[in-house]
Amino acid sequence: MNTAGHTDDQGLDLIPFRGVRYVPERVGSLAAVTSPPYDVVVRPDGLLHLESADPHNIVRLILPQATTPAARNQQAAETLHAWLAQGILAPDPEPSLYVYEQRDAGILQRGIIGALRLSEAKDGIVLPHEGVMPHVVEDRAALMRATSANLEPLLLTYRSDGDATGATAVIERTVTNKPLLSTTTEDGFSHRLWAVTDPADLAEIQSDLSHHQALIADGHHRWATNLRLRSEHPSAGPWDYGLVLLVDTTRYPLRVRSIHRYLHRLPVSEALTALTDSFRVRTVEGPLPRALEALAEAAAEGNAFLLAGDGAFHLIDRPSPDLLARTIPADPPEAWRTLDATVLHSTLLDHIWQIPDAPEHIAYIHDTEATVEKAERDGGTAVLMHPVREEVVRELARQGVTMPRKSTSFGPKPASGLVLRSLDF
């Protein structure tokens, strides 16, 4: 393993499973039944768009709609069982690991989907880098209890030495074969999936991965949910594993993007007025791509944010060192203290703007344009962030340091709906 103090039997334990997949002949198209991960769907517009794309879109399972949480979860369970009974979904005939490829004009990503043995952060095998919100974990846990299924894979990354051996060798052999499925979603990504069932290939993947640790790139709440449910099922069994996509970022680097904040109840004028003497504030020229370039230049020098919502773009940077010293905890490592997300939450949100981190006050939005449009439409403030490098995230995770939640967005994320894991098969 690439971390001192670990032995081979403490690495990743990825096992085959009987994937549950849509039967192509029973749905309009595979693209029409897929969805982004549940927490990326912009509700309600995105939800309605997906629901109307196909009556069997996976969003009806991952984001069921009903009047109460219990009714939503019951509806998801009934829908899943009905689709299985009707042959809309069907389990593959034998347990497999799955090679998954995503490609667009600018990126090629390949990884392996399988059932990964769950482990706590203290074990140093799967490293989280963000905290989770208990109410989200409880919501996801209730859905998983009701459906007895992993409906979406988490995105995990690991780092090889770059050689085409082990899991990489199997991936690159496998993609020369005809895929189980191939589809292109409306975001322009093509998706292909292959089953790996050959015992020698499976052994090669499992042996290789047993020497590695992984970083949770996307899916902290689902990982925490898996751990919660494992504790409810103490005897060994399917609840000891969770559905993941593992990507070697030495071979296939991810995109790391920001997750922006929308402050519902804070107009831009008030946000700027409160910053007097604490940050440098400048209006920068649009349009949005140009303003983001100004943000990137400022972020190279230190903490910087772009505020929008009043028809202009306001760059705030160069926070007062005295202010940072007063508002940011001194104990964590410097790499954590100097994160934009740390300064945003500890200094701006908690101290200057005094905004609680609650859904009625703050929305977390992945799409930059959507964040600005929402601010301009609804009168709040968009706080646009510059992305963090993966190496910073991984190093903090290795030190056991949790970043402020929603600090990063790794991608491309696996499409939901291509392969599910039922705990009943």
Side-chain angles (χ1 to χ4, degrees):
M1 234 174 129
N2 17 8
T3 297
H6 285 85
T7 57
D8 291 355
D9 62 354
Q10 290 179 295
L12 301 168
D13 179 14
L14 191 72
I15 64 169
F17 68 104
R18 289 180 68 193
V20 173
R21 298 187 296 109
Y22 282 98
V23 178
E25 296 76 18
R26 300 299 310 276
V27 296
S29 76
L30 287 172
V33 293
T34 63
S35 162
Y38 80 96
D39 58 339
V40 181
V41 176
V42 180
R43 291 179 263 190
D45 295 356
L47 185 66
L48 294 172
H49 174 70
L50 290 163
E51 285 184 331
S52 61
D54 188 283
H56 302 110
N57 189 285
I58 190 69
V59 80
R60 296 177 188 276
L61 300 182
I62 63 174
L63 288 172
Q65 298 301 296
T67 52
T68 67
R72 287 198 297 271
N73 298 328
Q74 180 65 24
Q75 180 176 301
E78 290 174 355
T79 300
L80 176 58
H81 296 147
W83 289 357
L84 285 164
Q86 295 162 11
I88 306 297
L89 290 168
D92 282 334
E94 58 183 316
S96 310
L97 295 177
Y98 296 86
V99 170
Y100 175 46
E101 176 189 278
Q102 291 165 279
R103 183 196 294 264
D104 75 356
I107 197 166
L108 170 65
Q109 178 172 294
R110 291 175 178 150
I112 296 173
I113 295 175
L116 183 68
R117 183 182 294 277
L118 302 174
S119 58
E120 300 284 351
K122 62 180 171 52
D123 300 326
I125 300 169
V126 175
L127 305 175
H129 67 269
E130 291 184 359
V132 296
M133 294 180 287
H135 75 276
V136 176
V137 174
E138 186 47 55
D139 175 69
R140 291 289 107 185
L143 177 63
M144 199 185 297
R145 281 189 209 102
T147 57
S148 190
N150 298 149
L151 300 171
E152 309 178 87
L154 291 80
L155 175 59
L156 272 60
T157 72
Y158 69 101
R159 306 279 291 177
S160 73
D161 57 13
D163 293 338
T165 58
T168 298
V170 177
I171 288 172
E172 297 189 357
R173 286 198 302 271
T174 301
V175 297
T176 64
N177 302 326
K178 183 181 179 184
L180 283 177
L181 66 84
S182 179
T183 190
T184 300
T185 44
E186 65 179 12
D187 58 5
F189 271 95
S190 69
H191 306 260
R192 298 198 294 170
L193 192 76
W194 295 260
V196 178
T197 56
D198 178 81
D201 286 343
L202 293 173
E204 190 171 353
I205 291 171
Q206 291 167 314
S207 173
D208 181 16
L209 293 177
S210 72
H211 297 270
H212 291 284
Q213 64 180 179
L215 174 75
I216 300 176
D218 187 66
H220 284 81
H221 286 95
R222 281 166 282 165
W223 185 256
T225 297
N226 288 332
L227 291 172
R228 162 86 66 88
L229 293 170
R230 181 184 68 168
S231 71
E232 297 173 7
H233 299 80
S235 57
W239 297 93
D240 287 351
Y241 296 82
L243 183 63
V244 305
L245 166 64
L246 274 166
V247 174
D248 171 11
T249 52
T250 303
R251 200 84 178 172
Y252 299 105
L254 295 177
R255 290 174 177 152
V256 188
R257 290 179 168 160
S258 303
I259 302 175
H260 308 295
R261 277 64 168 161
Y262 171 65
L263 311 180
H264 293 280
R265 302 179 181 180
L266 183 69
V268 174
S269 58
E270 291 183 23
L272 294 172
T273 300
L275 296 175
T276 306
D277 300 328
S278 57
F279 281 75
R280 180 172 70 166
V281 180
R282 291 176 290 161
T283 300
V284 294
E285 290 188 19
L288 179 57
R290 187 168 179 179
L292 290 172
E293 288 176 8
L295 173 62
E297 289 175 11
E301 305 294 326
N303 301 116
F305 310 90
L306 195 64
L307 307 188
D310 62 351
F313 297 101
H314 308 276
L315 182 64
I316 66 169
D317 64 355
R318 298 188 184 177
S320 155
D322 291 344
L323 176 66
L324 297 182
R326 289 200 316 275
T327 55
I328 293 177
D331 295 337
E334 183 183 5
W336 182 90
R337 298 198 310 272
T338 56
L339 287 169
D340 285 339
T342 299
V343 173
L344 173 62
H345 283 264
S346 297
T347 304
L348 284 166
L349 293 173
D350 292 353
H351 180 76
I352 294 179
W353 293 329
Q354 299 182 356
I355 294 176
D357 192 358
E360 60 270 26
H361 291 278
I362 304 176
Y364 292 81
I365 304 176
H366 292 73
D367 185 271
T368 312
E369 289 182 9
T371 314
V372 176
E373 287 169 5
K374 184 168 181 60
E376 293 188 341
R377 183 176 65 243
D378 297 346
T381 295
V383 183
L384 306 183
M385 312 275 288
H386 187 68
V388 184
R389 298 192 324 279
E390 182 188 355
E391 307 88 81
V392 174
V393 178
R394 189 176 295 276
E395 186 50 42
L396 285 170
R398 282 202 180 112
Q399 296 177 44
V401 177
T402 301
M403 296 172 70
R405 68 186 186 89
K406 303 294 184 185
S407 295
T408 58
S409 175
F410 287 92
K413 304 178 192 305
S416 299
L418 295 179
V419 60
L420 290 64
R421 175 177 174 252
S422 170
L423 280 71
D424 295 333
F425 296 129

